[in-house]
Amino acid sequence: MATLDQKSPNVLLQSLCCRITGKSEAEVAHQFQYAVRVIGSNYAPTIERDEFLVSEKIKKELLKQRREADAALFSELHRKLQTQSVLKHRWSVLYLLLSLSEDPRKPSSRVGNYGALFAQALPRDAHSTPFYCTRPQSLALGYAERGAALSASVGTSGISSLGVYTLNGPTPTPQSLLAGQPPQSAAGGGQSLGSRLAWTLPVSCSPSTLALPNTRPLGPPVPSPRVVHPRKDGEVSETALVRDILYVFQGIDGKFIKMSGPDNCYKIDSKVVLCKSLRDTSSRLAELGWLHNKVRKYTDARSLDRAFGLVGQSFCASLHQELKEYYRLLSVLHSQLQVEDDQGMNVCAEGSLTLRRLLVWMYDPKVRLKTLAALVDFCQGRKGGELASAVHSYGKTGDPQMRALVHHILSLVSHPILNFLYRWIYDGELEDTYHEFFVASDPNVKTDRLWHDKYSLRKSMIPTFITMDQARKVLLIGKSINFLHQVCHDRTPPGKITAASKSADTPKDAAELLSDLEGAFQEKIDAAYFDTSKYLLDVLNRNYLLLEHLQAMRRYLLLGQGDFIRHLMDLLKPELARPATTLYQHNLTGILETAVRATNAQFDNAEILKRLDVRLLEVSPGDTGWDVFSLDYHVDGPIATVFTRECMGHYLRVFNFLWRAKRMEYTLTDIWKGQMCNAKLLKTMPELSGVLHQCHILASEMVHFIHQMQYYITFEVLECSWDELWNKVQQAQDLDHIIAAHDVFLDTIISRCLLDSNSRSLLNQLRAIFDQIIEFQSAQDSLYRSALEELSLRLQYEEKKRQRDEEGQWAVNDAQEAEEKRRIQEFQETIPKMCSQLRILTHFYQSIVQQFLVLLMTSSDESLRFLSFRLDFNEHYRAREPRLRASLGANRGRRLSNI
């Protein structure tokens, strides 16, 4: 025969039934079926599942028995148990120990006849429920005990008298309120197993079955039943009021209690004869009807509103679920009242349904209905994520019941939002018909502006339990997936980009996520964000050469390819010196290709070179080719997302500025070459020494100025900004980081190259200086043409004299000599005019430079102030301009004050 351990659970349970009842297996068939139903049901324990509370109860029991040493030992052992990870359900173990310690010590509290216990059927309204609940822990049967329970429940914060609620759903009907079940006695604090099961018996059982023999209450002794005073003539009975109240609980007017429209509350008819205590109690109970009507009116109005959206419908569903549990409780109360009517039970009888008893039993539902009504008021006019934020804000309370209720509602409300979110981050799909999700889509935006304009955040719809950083990452994830599919034409399934984790398929899953927003939820968002962003950047760099295009912008549009730019200027000089209206783009394009083939630019990627082109700006009257020529770089496809039209406009402005500055350097180089080449030739003309010296001095000033400006632009602006950009691009985690770094780069060089609106006066002065350099080149060229022409005539004259002298003739006659002297005299008379012109040019140039320096000195940019020091390193301009001395002194004072 098999041992007991080897038997099935059914055989063991049947043996247990036989041992308890003392009957054979055939005679305990009914009890065995009852036991199976009890074990298979979801009855919850009558104590909150809190390890701390159970341990405190054990210690209190030990202290009551004057076992302080055992209590201290238990506390130490419990502390050590908490440090071990062996047991997962320590609460259950402690609760078992507490139960075992009570049973053998209090035999008098056991049910006398276990056979009678098992002989009863399950209550007709008992059912399996996934929710935890507790029946009232101290629900007295007499008036004195009911008054004590009422004062305890009303006088406290309500937490101690409320049932236990879980996050899985609304609180079911307290088991003590089910039809046919008597409330628990105040003496039930130390019940044994039999007494804890006895409360499930129906009311119809005999009093002998319900009695607990030799029960010794732990609280004060139960007073004798109250004395019922006879009613006055015409006074409404309490039973009739109870029946009316049960209708009012459902929002239905009773016979004596009706809704008052002007006062917006339920009132007892003033003509009804009723004592003050019953009138007051009825008014307090009628509040539940008003709360019920408020919640029901909201759900009825919103349930049929499809525009309310999925989140709103989920909110209504959660309210309906709570109302359903409320109705279930009312049905139990109606059943209880019907049983009393059938049995003819008097209101004074033990276990009868009274107003005082209703006041105690309906305390928990009233608290819940108050919470729901407050939520309904607060959520008026809200939808989508804004509605979820409103519900979430109500969960920030110290009341564990209210927090559990709100958390359950939030799990239902947030379920559609989390479904939107997972569909968006794993599939890139946005099915938000009623605009509830915090990611918005604009269907009118074209593909080329998808990244910038098509998707955006609705900040009002971001739930408060989702941070702005998480919302930004969610937006980027879905946007990246759509960008890959629609712009990059990448057909890789989203599942291969990032592994899709478990979604919020049920409200329970949503509740689990909401309970760990900084853990599992954050990990899911981060994983999808990093995987998707990394894949997108890899596609852009591998298939579309994003970094190579960025470097091409630096080399060509920002003049970083020095040999190419110099050779291009040499080739373009004859063309660009002509009027702008005579230029042809195809000629300039041919010159550009020649410059590419003749320099290191030829080794660049063909994809880069084919995008390089020539562009002619709008022609104004009097413009030359230098004024309208520009390089262009064609961008399209995914890289146009980084190099937008606005960005290319900025590149064009910077190129024109750099091209003009490079032209000044090129011009001054030609001026210096002319001076060096003509210096020896013109030594034979001493009358030109003064004007040539003046030219050399002015040219030196201009060369110094342009060199310092080029150093500032090239190294302090372009190179430093480019280095920062490149480091940011290398460390970028998503495409938005690259776009932001690129925008900062362009804004920086626009600002520091004096091209922004704040530096307009500086730019105007700088352009005036550039114009003076061009004018000086023209003046010097005119001077050298006149001087070289005069020198050529003098050399010819001397050559003729030598030839005639060699022929034995007179070198010159008087007429020729007079003509020569007259011509020389005319030339010498033009020299003062040249000197005056150069002096005027010099004075005008220096005045512009001085104004430029004053503006630099007063600039808020420290690098521009340092530039002014380098431009006037020997204080040449400071000695001429008093404002420079004042500005310099003010700046020095400012620096000293800062120190």
Side-chain angles (χ1 to χ4, degrees):
M1 183 176 180
T3 62
L4 191 62
D5 294 335
Q6 295 173 338
K7 293 182 179 180
S8 66
N10 290 336
V11 175
L12 294 176
L13 183 59
Q14 190 173 25
S15 301
L16 179 62
C17 293
C18 294
R19 183 167 300 182
I20 291 176
T21 58
K23 299 179 181 179
S24 65
E25 293 183 358
E27 294 174 337
V28 298
H30 179 68
Q31 289 82 354
F32 171 68
Q33 292 179 0
Y34 175 75
V36 171
R37 291 173 61 191
V38 170
I39 293 176
S41 67
N42 287 335
Y43 284 134
T46 61
I47 187 170
E48 187 174 354
R49 295 194 173 192
D50 191 325
E51 178 185 352
F52 175 76
L53 291 180
V54 178
S55 65
E56 287 299 314
K57 285 189 177 183
I58 294 176
K59 286 189 280 188
K60 286 180 181 179
E61 289 295 328
L62 293 174
L63 292 176
K64 284 182 181 179
Q65 300 171 14
R66 301 184 181 280
R67 298 168 59 187
E68 290 81 0
D70 292 341
L73 178 60
F74 170 78
S75 179
E76 178 64 21
L77 293 175
H78 180 237
R79 186 187 63 79
K80 292 182 179 180
L81 180 64
Q82 286 178 318
T83 60
Q84 304 295 325
S85 60
V86 179
L87 295 178
K88 293 184 179 179
H89 304 287
R90 292 192 297 271
W91 173 87
S92 302
V93 176
L94 293 177
Y95 186 68
L96 175 64
L97 294 176
L98 178 61
S99 302
L100 293 176
S101 68
E102 290 174 349
D103 289 346
R105 297 180 184 276
K106 299 179 181 178
S108 60
S109 64
R110 296 179 182 175
V111 176
N113 187 355
Y114 286 109
L117 170 65
F118 281 97
Q120 305 299 330
L122 278 175
R124 64 185 176 187
D125 293 319
H127 60 281
S128 297
T129 172
F131 312 120
Y132 302 124
C133 67
T134 62
R135 54 198 175 90
Q137 296 297 315
S138 178
L139 194 58
L141 298 181
Y143 274 139
E145 291 174 283
R146 286 200 295 269
L150 177 62
S151 62
S153 64
V154 176
T156 63
S157 63
I159 297 176
S160 61
S161 62
L162 301 180
V164 180
Y165 300 87
T166 67
L167 304 181
N168 294 334
T171 300
T173 306
Q175 297 288 353
S176 61
L177 303 184
L178 294 175
Q181 299 175 11
Q184 182 184 6
S185 171
Q191 291 173 327
S192 64
L193 175 63
S195 61
R196 285 197 298 275
L197 291 176
W199 61 271
T200 62
L201 299 176
V203 174
S204 57
C205 61
S206 63
S208 60
T209 307
L210 290 174
L212 301 180
N214 302 325
T215 300
R216 181 178 58 86
L218 295 179
V222 180
S224 59
R226 61 186 174 93
V227 177
V228 182
H229 299 283
R231 295 197 311 271
K232 300 177 182 179
D233 293 338
E235 184 177 357
V236 178
S237 66
E238 186 172 356
T239 304
L241 282 178
V242 169
R243 191 177 302 279
D244 252 26
I245 284 294
L246 291 182
Y247 283 116
V248 170
F249 284 167
Q250 304 171 64
I252 304 173
D253 286 352
K255 183 177 180 181
F256 309 106
I257 306 175
K258 301 180 183 297
M259 169 62 74
S260 173
D263 298 330
N264 190 25
C265 64
Y266 282 98
K267 284 188 173 181
I268 302 177
D269 192 348
S270 59
K271 299 179 181 180
V272 174
V273 179
L274 196 64
C275 68
K276 187 176 185 302
S277 63
L278 292 181
R279 184 179 292 272
D280 292 343
T281 305
S282 300
S283 298
R284 293 172 64 183
L285 286 170
E287 184 183 354
L288 274 87
W290 183 87
L291 294 172
H292 164 271
N293 289 349
K294 189 177 188 64
V295 177
R296 182 63 182 268
K297 182 179 179 181
Y298 179 86
T299 56
D300 290 346
R302 288 295 191 175
S303 295
L304 301 178
D305 185 7
R306 300 190 65 180
F308 198 31
L310 297 178
V311 177
Q313 296 300 326
S314 297
F315 181 56
C316 290
S318 65
L319 296 179
H320 275 300
Q321 193 174 9
E322 292 295 331
L323 290 178
K324 179 181 176 182
E325 296 300 321
Y326 176 72
Y327 294 147
R328 192 160 63 91
L329 170 60
L330 296 185
S331 68
V332 171
L333 294 176
H334 274 290
S335 300
Q336 176 78 7
L337 190 61
Q338 187 64 37
V339 169
E340 294 178 4
D341 290 345
D342 294 342
Q343 295 180 355
M345 186 180 296
N346 190 1
V347 72
C348 306
E350 292 295 336
S352 63
L353 200 58
T354 64
L355 291 179
R356 296 288 297 275
R357 186 165 288 151
L358 273 181
L359 193 63
V360 176
W361 288 349
M362 298 305 291
Y363 180 79
D364 288 357
K366 184 177 180 180
V367 171
R368 296 176 75 82
L369 281 178
K370 277 187 176 180
T371 304
L372 297 180
L375 269 178
V376 165
D377 276 341
F378 191 61
C379 295
Q380 289 287 351
R382 303 173 189 263
K383 61 180 291 187
E386 191 178 8
L387 175 62
S389 298
V391 175
H392 180 254
S393 65
Y394 257 78
K396 299 175 181 178
T397 175
D399 187 340
Q401 274 188 313
M402 184 182 295
R403 188 168 60 247
L405 171 62
V406 173
H407 195 90
H408 165 66
I409 295 176
L410 181 62
S411 66
L412 295 173
V413 169
S414 61
H415 183 221
I417 296 178
L418 293 177
N419 278 339
F420 288 147
L421 188 146
Y422 284 125
R423 192 76 177 271
W424 172 250
I425 66 175
Y426 292 126
D427 299 324
E429 297 179 4
L430 189 61
E431 297 180 359
D432 186 15
T433 308
Y434 304 105
H435 309 294
E436 304 171 272
F437 194 42
F438 56 84
V439 175
S441 174
D442 186 354
N444 298 322
V445 175
K446 296 182 179 179
T447 305
D448 58 338
R449 296 293 300 175
L450 181 145
W451 187 270
H452 296 281
D453 300 331
K454 186 165 186 177
Y455 302 106
S456 59
L457 285 177
R458 292 192 190 101
K459 293 187 178 179
S460 63
M461 291 295 174
I462 300 177
T464 52
F465 52 83
I466 295 179
T467 64
M468 183 58 69
D469 181 64
Q470 289 174 338
R472 188 189 71 85
K473 288 182 177 179
V474 168
L475 172 66
L476 282 175
I477 294 168
K479 189 163 64 171
S480 299
I481 294 174
N482 284 280
F483 185 81
L484 283 167
H485 291 169
Q486 300 180 34
V487 182
C488 298
H489 306 292
D490 185 86
R491 300 306 177 191
T492 304
K496 292 187 177 180
I497 298 176
T498 179
S501 61
K502 180 184 178 183
S503 61
D505 294 329
T506 63
K508 184 177 180 181
D509 298 331
E512 292 177 357
L513 282 176
L514 292 175
S515 64
D516 193 15
L517 289 173
E518 297 180 357
F521 182 73
Q522 182 69 40
E523 290 176 1
K524 290 182 179 181
I525 298 297
D526 288 343
Y529 166 73
F530 287 121
D531 292 343
T532 307
S533 299
K534 183 178 182 299
Y535 184 80
L536 173 59
L537 294 182
D538 289 343
V539 169
L540 289 177
N541 291 327
R542 182 179 65 253
N543 299 343
Y544 296 96
L545 308 176
L546 175 62
L547 297 182
E548 284 78 356
H549 288 299
L550 197 60
Q551 291 175 329
M553 295 289 183
R554 173 69 182 95
R555 287 199 302 270
Y556 298 114
L557 296 189
L558 301 183
L559 311 188
Q561 190 79 21
D563 59 334
F564 166 76
I565 298 299
R566 179 67 189 186
H567 189 59
L568 181 63
M569 277 194 165
D570 290 338
L571 297 177
L572 288 174
K573 181 179 179 180
E575 289 285 333
L576 299 184
R578 297 160 50 190
T581 55
T582 63
L583 296 180
Y584 296 99
Q585 187 165 353
H586 60 274
N587 292 339
L588 300 178
T589 303
I591 295 175
L592 174 64
E593 294 176 356
T594 303
V596 168
R597 290 194 298 269
T599 58
N600 288 327
Q602 63 181 313
F603 301 111
D604 271 349
N605 194 316
E607 179 68 20
I608 302 295
L609 295 178
K610 75 177 184 180
R611 296 176 181 271
L612 193 60
D613 199 2
V614 170
R615 180 176 182 177
L616 294 178
L617 305 180
E618 186 177 352
V619 179
S620 300
D623 282 348
T624 64
W626 292 104
D627 299 318
V628 299
F629 175 81
S630 177
L631 287 181
D632 195 12
Y633 195 86
H634 298 294
V635 291
D636 54 12
I639 62 170
T641 301
V642 178
F643 304 107
T644 60
R645 292 181 181 178
E646 294 80 6
C647 291
M648 297 310 297
H650 290 331
Y651 273 115
L652 183 60
R653 292 179 60 194
V654 175
F655 173 82
N656 290 332
F657 174 78
L658 298 177
W659 182 257
R660 194 160 192 174
K662 183 63 72 174
R663 181 196 172 191
M664 295 303 107
E665 184 181 2
Y666 189 79
T667 299
L668 287 173
T669 301
D670 289 342
I671 290 175
W672 180 82
K673 285 180 180 178
Q675 290 177 351
M676 295 300 103
C677 294
N678 296 321
K680 292 183 180 180
L681 294 177
L682 299 179
K683 278 185 178 181
T684 57
M685 301 175 67
E687 66 270 22
L688 292 176
S689 60
V691 69
L692 292 178
H693 179 66
Q694 201 170 350
C695 286
H696 290 177
I697 291 176
L698 183 56
S700 297
E701 288 187 34
M702 292 179 174
V703 168
H704 170 70
F705 181 89
I706 292 300
H707 281 178
Q708 292 302 321
M709 286 300 301
Q710 284 284 17
Y711 172 83
Y712 167 77
I713 294 170
T714 303
F715 294 101
E716 295 190 16
V717 177
L718 294 179
E719 288 299 330
C720 293
S721 300
W722 172 258
D723 185 65
E724 292 180 5
L725 170 64
W726 192 251
N727 290 335
K728 289 179 180 178
V729 168
Q730 296 296 327
Q731 299 171 5
Q733 295 180 346
D734 57 53
L735 184 56
D736 263 357
H737 288 167
I738 294 180
I739 293 175
H742 185 245
D743 289 343
V744 169
F745 167 73
L746 285 179
D747 291 341
T748 301
I749 62 177
I750 286 286
S751 173
R752 300 188 69 185
C753 286
L754 314 178
L755 297 175
D756 60 341
S757 58
N758 297 328
S759 304
R760 188 165 298 172
S761 56
L762 277 169
L763 182 61
N764 291 335
Q765 294 296 324
L766 187 59
R767 286 177 176 172
I769 292 173
F770 289 168
D771 292 339
Q772 292 303 305
I773 293 175
I774 299 299
E775 190 173 344
F776 172 65
Q777 182 189 29
S778 300
Q780 180 175 281
D781 289 345
S782 176
L783 170 63
Y784 280 134
R785 280 197 303 270
S786 300
L788 291 176
E789 184 180 353
E790 177 63 24
L791 178 61
S792 176
L793 293 175
R794 290 185 185 185
L795 291 177
Q796 291 178 7
Y797 178 74
E798 293 297 330
E799 181 65 25
K800 288 181 181 179
K801 284 174 60 176
R802 188 182 60 79
Q803 289 179 357
R804 292 176 66 86
D805 189 51
E806 289 178 355
E807 293 175 358
Q809 299 178 2
W810 294 97
V812 291
N813 53 31
D814 293 339
Q816 291 175 341
E817 187 173 2
E819 178 66 24
E820 180 69 15
K821 289 180 179 180
R822 184 187 62 79
R823 187 179 52 76
I824 292 175
Q825 183 66 29
E826 290 177 355
F827 174 74
Q828 290 177 348
E829 289 176 356
T830 61
I831 293 177
K833 294 180 181 179
M834 295 179 186
C835 290
S836 298
Q837 184 181 2
L838 283 176
R839 279 197 297 271
I840 293 172
L841 185 61
T842 302
H843 176 74
F844 195 50
Y845 169 79
Q846 290 180 347
S847 65
I848 296 176
V849 171
Q850 289 166 9
Q851 293 175 17
F852 184 71
L853 292 176
V854 169
L855 293 174
L856 289 180
M857 291 295 296
T858 56
S859 173
S860 59
D861 191 347
E862 189 176 15
S863 61
L864 291 178
R865 295 200 297 270
F866 287 151
L867 174 62
S868 68
F869 297 150
R870 293 199 300 272
L871 291 174
D872 193 21
F873 72 98
N874 58 356
E875 300 184 353
H876 171 71
Y877 298 104
R878 181 190 171 202
R880 298 168 180 266
E881 176 57 59
R883 288 181 297 173
L884 285 176
R885 294 194 291 272
S887 298
L888 182 61
N891 281 284
R892 285 178 177 173
R894 190 183 303 118
R895 288 197 301 275
L896 289 175
S897 65
N898 291 335
I899 295 174

